[in-house]
Amino acid sequence: MPRFLRPLIRAVTYTRWLHLLMGAAISLIIAFIYPGLSDPSFADWVLIAVQPIPLVAAAALLPSMRRAEGLQARLMLFPGQHARVPGDDEDPGVSVAPSASWRDRGRTAVWLVLRLEAGAAATFCTVQLLGTMLALLGSASEPGEDPGVLLPVPAPNWTNALLAPLPVLLLLALAVVAGRLMASAARRLLGPSPKERLAALEERTEQLLERNRIAHELHDSIGHALTVAVVQAGAARAAADPEFTDRALGAIEETGRAALEDLERVLRVLREDGRPASRRPTLADAGQLLDSARASGAEVATEVTGPLDQLPGPVSREAYRMLQEALTNVLRHSGPVPVQVRLTVDDAALEIDVRNALPRAGDVTGRGGSGLRGIRERATLLGGRAVTGPRGGEWQVHVELPLG
């Protein structure tokens, strides 16, 4: 089908025209009282269009009027399930919130007046063009009375029947163009206010931050558990020692259980089922994390200065994840090598320093993945900084987080 004919098979074209005709309802109701609709002249049509303007402008003062108009516009002016066109799930950009300011009320008033006048014009054109079509059909066979239309009708002739489709085609073209213009006007006049746009942007930002945090949680927890399991399984197979194998299986079981608890907690948050999620681990629980790394064969030397249990909750929870990711990277990329962990707490800041020997050139499996990037992102969100990379023949993860 030619492109210019496609709008004629889309339901949204006709719902837009219906929306226009509905805009003239108040004008027609008032017209029944004065000047009447029995034989209106062009001047009467102008009067019919002008009389309701004060009424609809006053109706715009009601905050709920903007919501009502927004809902109608979304349903009838934009593609939806009824449209059968690509992209019918796109946001039309029309607000359905009540008026929250005089600016919103003013825009709603302009929209109502525009809809009133456009509706009156659409009704007038519909009546005139359909009347002209009927007049052409009638004059094809025999002369008739004055059809009461403004468009000229040729003298009675059978060829007039061939001209009858022209007013209908003109009406269809008018419906397509006018519908698109009204949809564009709705976006401008009923679109979100700056305050609503800012609120929507803030909500979207919060959603992205929450999704990013959950992704980091899953990456750190599940990634650490899988890394420990892989290292333990490989070491047990290489050792061929039943006692060592039992210890490795025990470490795998313990780490897997902790990972399942983390996964269940995150899934509860995603489900929003109202049940309290289990407590997130803090830096005070670092002993279990270090034991898990030791069980994987790493020689972890720890130095703790200051009270870890008195850290602010958000700092302590994020610091635990940073330490977890640092140890996971050691096991993943360097294997069970000696690791030095230093945790320092004072009145101003928390410092985390994790160092390990660099692997041999042939053993390097790659660095700088999403885990280390996540450490830097977490530190930045807390107002601190994180440095990762080789230093003095060792690989270092150094984090500084302010406490004030």
Side-chain angles (χ1 to χ4, degrees):
M1 176 178 293
R3 184 176 181 180
F4 69 92
L5 292 179
R6 291 176 186 173
L8 301 182
I9 63 172
R10 296 174 179 170
V12 70
T13 299
Y14 304 100
T15 59
R16 285 173 174 174
W17 191 247
L18 178 60
H19 184 269
L20 278 168
L21 298 180
M22 289 171 55
I26 297 178
S27 296
L28 296 177
I29 293 173
I30 295 178
F32 278 114
I33 302 173
Y34 181 81
L37 292 175
S38 58
D39 189 20
S41 63
F42 182 77
D44 291 335
W45 279 107
V46 174
L47 182 62
I48 290 171
V50 171
Q51 285 183 111
I53 289 180
L55 180 61
V56 298
L61 298 178
L62 298 174
S64 58
M65 184 59 66
R66 184 166 177 258
R67 168 176 286 177
E69 289 298 318
L71 289 172
Q72 289 185 61
R74 281 195 171 197
L75 179 63
M76 304 186 73
L77 293 181
F78 298 95
Q81 296 180 354
H82 59 281
R84 295 181 298 177
V85 294
D88 58 0
D89 56 345
E90 295 181 359
D91 184 5
V94 172
S95 173
V96 293
S99 297
S101 65
W102 286 106
R103 176 182 173 85
D104 290 344
R105 292 180 175 89
R107 294 167 66 203
T108 305
V110 173
W111 166 256
L112 288 175
V113 173
L114 174 63
R115 187 181 177 189
L116 173 74
E117 300 305 326
T123 302
F124 175 78
C125 292
T126 301
V127 171
Q128 290 294 318
L129 291 174
L130 292 181
T132 301
M133 180 199 67
L134 295 176
L136 289 172
L137 290 176
S139 64
S141 57
E142 58 183 17
E145 300 179 357
D146 182 11
V149 294
L150 298 180
L151 296 177
V153 178
N157 193 302
W158 68 271
T159 58
N160 289 349
L162 302 178
L163 301 177
L166 294 181
V168 177
L169 295 177
L170 181 58
L171 182 61
L172 291 174
L174 183 63
V176 173
V177 174
R180 290 179 176 176
L181 291 176
M182 286 300 291
S184 178
R187 289 191 179 97
R188 287 180 172 271
L189 298 175
L190 297 179
S193 63
K195 184 178 180 180
E196 291 174 329
R197 293 182 187 276
L198 181 59
L201 180 60
E202 290 177 349
E203 182 181 0
R204 176 61 176 166
T205 302
E206 289 294 331
Q207 291 176 349
L208 290 176
L209 288 175
E210 180 65 13
R211 290 173 59 183
N212 191 46
R213 185 186 68 79
I214 291 175
H216 280 315
E217 291 278 326
L218 289 176
H219 175 273
D220 294 346
S221 177
I222 306 303
H224 176 76
L226 291 177
T227 299
V228 170
V230 170
V231 172
Q232 290 279 19
R237 184 177 60 179
D241 182 355
E243 183 178 352
F244 182 84
T245 300
D246 288 341
R247 291 199 305 269
L249 291 176
I252 292 174
E253 180 184 5
E254 182 179 354
T255 305
R257 185 179 294 110
L260 287 175
E261 291 178 357
D262 278 346
L263 179 61
E264 176 64 20
R265 176 182 53 76
V266 173
L267 292 179
R268 285 184 183 179
V269 173
L270 293 176
R271 286 195 298 264
E272 295 181 348
D273 56 7
R275 293 183 297 170
S278 58
R279 184 181 67 88
R280 291 176 59 191
T282 66
L283 202 56
D285 304 316
Q288 180 180 358
L289 189 61
L290 297 171
D291 291 340
S292 175
R294 293 189 182 99
S296 300
E299 300 177 10
V300 182
T302 307
E303 178 184 347
V304 179
T305 304
L308 298 180
D309 56 348
Q310 295 182 11
L311 289 171
V315 174
S316 187
R317 289 190 290 268
E318 295 302 318
Y320 177 92
R321 292 304 185 192
M322 295 179 195
L323 177 60
Q324 184 181 53
E325 180 57 35
L327 294 174
T328 300
N329 273 276
V330 172
L331 295 175
R332 180 181 299 152
H333 300 295
S334 299
V337 298
V339 183
Q340 297 178 352
V341 177
R342 182 169 56 86
L343 306 175
T344 305
V345 181
D346 56 31
D347 295 336
L350 163 68
E351 290 188 16
I352 303 174
D353 191 84
V354 180
R355 299 169 182 261
N356 65 276
L358 288 171
R360 296 188 303 272
D363 297 335
V364 175
T365 58
R367 293 220 184 225
S370 60
L372 296 180
R373 183 172 64 250
I375 291 177
R376 293 189 289 268
E377 290 175 355
R378 290 177 187 270
T380 301
L381 288 175
L382 292 173
R385 68 186 187 94
V387 178
T388 62
R391 183 177 179 181
E394 295 179 319
W395 184 269
Q396 179 188 35
V397 175
H398 184 79
V399 180
E400 296 180 5
L401 303 176
L403 301 181

